[in-house]
Amino acid sequence: MKIDYEVGIIGAGFGGLVAALKLKDSGRTSFVIFERAPDIGGTWRDNIYPGCACDVPSHLYSIASQPNPDWNYKFSRQPEILDYLKNVVSKNDLAEHIRLNSDITELQFIETDGLWQVTDRNGHQTRVKFIISAMGPLNRPVIPKFEGLDTFKGAKFHSSEWDTTCDIKDKRVAIIGTGASSIQIVPTIAPEVAHLTVFQRTPAWIMPRDDRKVSHFGKFLFKNIPATQKLLREGIYWLFEFLGKAFIGNKMLYNL
């Protein structure tokens, strides 16, 4: 049985696009990216809730080989990150490798031929030698069952499926959870709702984000002296590595 592509990548979010770039850098062009949605972007395409932004500084939360000297904020907002990913696709001619509206429903390994048969929701089958799974979990809502949910007459939805037609201004709003999304939503909507109640199971540790606009001078430096942006990226990376050691219990760092 003949293969259609050497490599099949499932997902066209950050992970899938990085895998595709690495394949191209190594001289491999026989690959296809299966994307279940009508557009690329993964979690940054689907999550459009108020205040949606990255909680990692943009100059680190980007692809090392695809620096963006034009980030507008230290912690970029969802639309800007999605535009960045679309620009990466365009600049590196990845669109020709992406198959949109291809929700993969079955992977079957054909042992006698040493290949994978990939089937999408429309029944289309593709044969590849290798599979790279880049399916992110952050755009799949999990809604617990609790008493009263089925009979609640107001609007209800998960943050990853934000209902943009729902006007929450001057309404009584309840948010369940204090995770990363809630931390962004709550301060964004608080000034416009009539009453806001937040239900939390476990208190979360939070720190000031120190968000701010990137200055024109900073953008000028990053664009004309790329080494400055690379140096900033390295600095953020090693700072986070240092702090991470303290968080996971390194006694020497924790006592500092």
Side-chain angles (χ1 to χ4, degrees):
M1 191 178 290
K2 187 179 178 181
I3 63 170
D4 298 302
Y5 300 94
E6 282 285 326
V7 181
I9 302 170
I10 304 177
F14 258 102
L17 297 181
V18 168
L21 290 171
K22 286 294 186 181
L23 288 171
K24 289 198 76 171
D25 288 345
S26 67
R28 297 176 174 89
T29 57
S30 178
F31 63 88
V32 61
I33 306 173
F34 303 102
E35 172 52 54
R36 65 183 179 88
D39 203 354
I40 66 105
T43 190
W44 297 108
R45 174 198 61 235
D46 294 344
N47 284 274
I48 55 173
Y49 58 77
C52 184
C54 188
D55 50 14
V56 175
S58 300
H59 293 100
L60 177 61
Y61 192 81
S62 48
I63 303 170
S65 63
Q66 307 292 313
N68 176 21
D70 295 316
W71 290 118
N72 288 314
Y73 289 89
K74 181 179 178 181
F75 296 91
S76 292
R77 282 54 170 167
Q78 174 267 337
E80 191 172 9
I81 298 173
L82 183 57
D83 285 343
Y84 165 76
L85 289 175
K86 290 182 177 181
N87 185 56
V88 168
V89 169
S90 175
K91 187 170 64 173
N92 293 278
D93 298 320
L94 294 180
E96 62 189 68
H97 295 275
I98 300 173
R99 192 181 294 174
L100 300 174
N101 297 304
S102 294
D103 188 11
I104 303 305
T105 57
E106 182 181 6
L107 293 175
Q108 182 183 4
F109 185 65
I110 311 299
E111 190 169 355
T112 54
D113 297 298
L115 57 82
W116 290 93
Q117 184 167 277
V118 185
T119 305
D120 67 21
R121 191 169 296 281
N122 298 317
H124 188 275
Q125 293 183 331
T126 306
R127 294 174 294 274
V128 300
K129 193 170 183 181
F130 304 102
I131 284 287
I132 297 176
S133 176
M135 298 183 294
L138 298 181
N139 54 8
R140 291 172 173 80
V142 176
I143 302 177
K145 293 182 179 180
F146 52 86
E147 187 178 353
L149 183 62
D150 294 336
T151 57
F152 180 69
K153 295 181 179 179
K156 57 181 183 293
F157 45 85
H158 193 278
S159 62
S160 66
E161 294 180 337
W162 192 270
D163 184 356
T164 56
T165 66
C166 180
D167 184 9
I168 61 174
K169 187 175 181 181
D170 299 326
K171 299 291 195 306
R172 291 178 61 86
V173 178
I175 292 182
I176 301 174
T178 52
S181 297
S182 177
I183 287 172
Q184 295 176 347
I185 296 170
V186 168
T188 304
I189 70 172
E192 60 182 84
V193 301
H195 186 274
L196 181 61
T197 302
V198 180
F199 296 91
Q200 70 173 9
R201 179 175 55 186
T202 305
W205 290 96
I206 59 174
M207 298 171 59
R209 190 165 60 167
D210 187 31
D211 190 22
R212 59 182 181 273
K213 275 194 167 185
V214 179
S215 68
H216 293 296
F217 179 67
K219 291 182 182 181
F220 174 83
L221 278 180
F222 299 148
K223 187 173 293 185
N224 295 280
I225 312 176
T228 57
Q229 187 174 5
K230 185 176 181 181
L231 183 63
L232 175 61
R233 179 187 175 92
E234 289 293 316
I236 297 171
Y237 174 83
W238 287 111
L239 173 63
F240 280 20
E241 286 291 295
F242 179 83
L243 294 175
K245 289 289 186 182
F247 277 119
I248 62 175
N250 185 290
K251 292 183 179 180
M252 182 180 72
L253 296 180
Y254 184 78
N255 291 328
L256 292 178

